[in-house]
Amino acid sequence: MRGLWQCGPTLDFTPINSYEGEFAGVQGTEDAVVMIDGRCTGTLIEASAGPVVVTAGHCVGLGDRALLVFNFEDAPDGDPLVTEGTVIEQALEPDYALIELDVLPAVTPVLLTTRASERLAIIQHPRGRPKVIAEGRFLNSCNQLVYYSDLDTLVGSSGAGVLNREGHLLGIHTDGDCDETGRGANRGWTAEVIVEASPYLRSEDIAER
């Protein structure tokens, strides 16, 4: 099943509001992470045409009405915001979708990047649970995909943003082949190929940062 990729013998998830690791700077990013229909994760991103939520294409269908919940967290730092949106773009190769929201939350959208860092993080809603963060090692980017190891995900993590150290979105988590022995790697489509494929997003929406 897509998204079900535990890397190593333990699940290394930390509730976002108790996280104090090396990606502490992403606390300014996590407000933009949203649970979609209780079964996937997405991120509100900055775009010239207006902020939209990006997620995995296998999570939704074109024209679908999606239910989105912001700030679903342990020890939440604000009230949950529940809104709806319409899927305005959807594809499986690259595996992405864009959702236009009925109501924009009062949070700062995440910027898209082409620049990886040696460590990456994913803020996610595994199995529809409150928001957590996991981190791991960047392996490489090739064939329009970004690969990372020792970075746990589960069902419900599909569509979550793959973040560099600056908290910018490098890719969208969609798949992988990690196992509980620690072998293999998880992967997602790069933000760069998503921008290239999208009629809504523009080249100026992404930069090396």
Side-chain angles (χ1 to χ4, degrees), residues 26 75 81 105 134 201:
V26 301
L81 169 64
L201 300 174

Side-chain angles (χ1 to χ4, degrees), residues 54 94-96 98 171-172 189-198 201:
V54 62
D95 188 348
Y96 85 99
L98 299 182
I172 295 297
W189 292 86
T190 66
E192 186 172 16
V193 72
I194 291 170
V195 170
E196 290 173 356
S198 170
L201 300 174

Side-chain angles (χ1 to χ4, degrees), residues 69-134:
V69 182
F70 289 85
N71 209 37
F72 176 45
E73 306 167 357
D74 288 332
D77 49 8
D79 294 329
L81 169 64
V82 180
T83 187
E84 292 186 334
T86 301
V87 179
I88 59 171
E89 289 183 21
Q90 185 268 349
L92 295 179
E93 195 166 324
D95 188 348
Y96 85 99
L98 299 182
I99 304 172
E100 191 169 49
L101 301 182
D102 293 354
V103 177
L104 280 173
V107 301
T108 302
V110 174
L111 298 173
L112 302 180
T113 187
T114 60
R115 189 167 78 181
S117 50
E118 71 278 12
R119 299 278 293 172
L120 301 173
I122 296 180
I123 302 172
Q124 54 192 292
H125 286 284
R127 293 180 176 151
R129 295 173 180 169
K131 194 182 300 177
V132 298
I133 184 171

Side-chain angles (χ1 to χ4, degrees), residues 13-88:
F13 292 143
T14 304
I16 190 62
N17 290 318
S18 59
Y19 176 74
E20 297 179 348
E22 60 185 290
F23 283 84
V26 301
Q27 292 289 0
T29 298
E30 64 90 3
D31 284 346
V33 177
V34 59
M35 185 172 64
I36 301 171
D37 290 332
R39 55 188 173 84
C40 280
T41 304
T43 307
L44 185 70
I45 58 169
E46 186 64 63
S48 303
V52 287
V53 168
V54 62
T55 187
H58 68 261
C59 289
V60 292
L62 185 64
D64 282 358
R65 293 285 292 165
L67 182 70
L68 302 102
V69 182
F70 289 85
N71 209 37
F72 176 45
E73 306 167 357
D74 288 332
D77 49 8
D79 294 329
L81 169 64
V82 180
T83 187
E84 292 186 334
T86 301
V87 179
I88 59 171

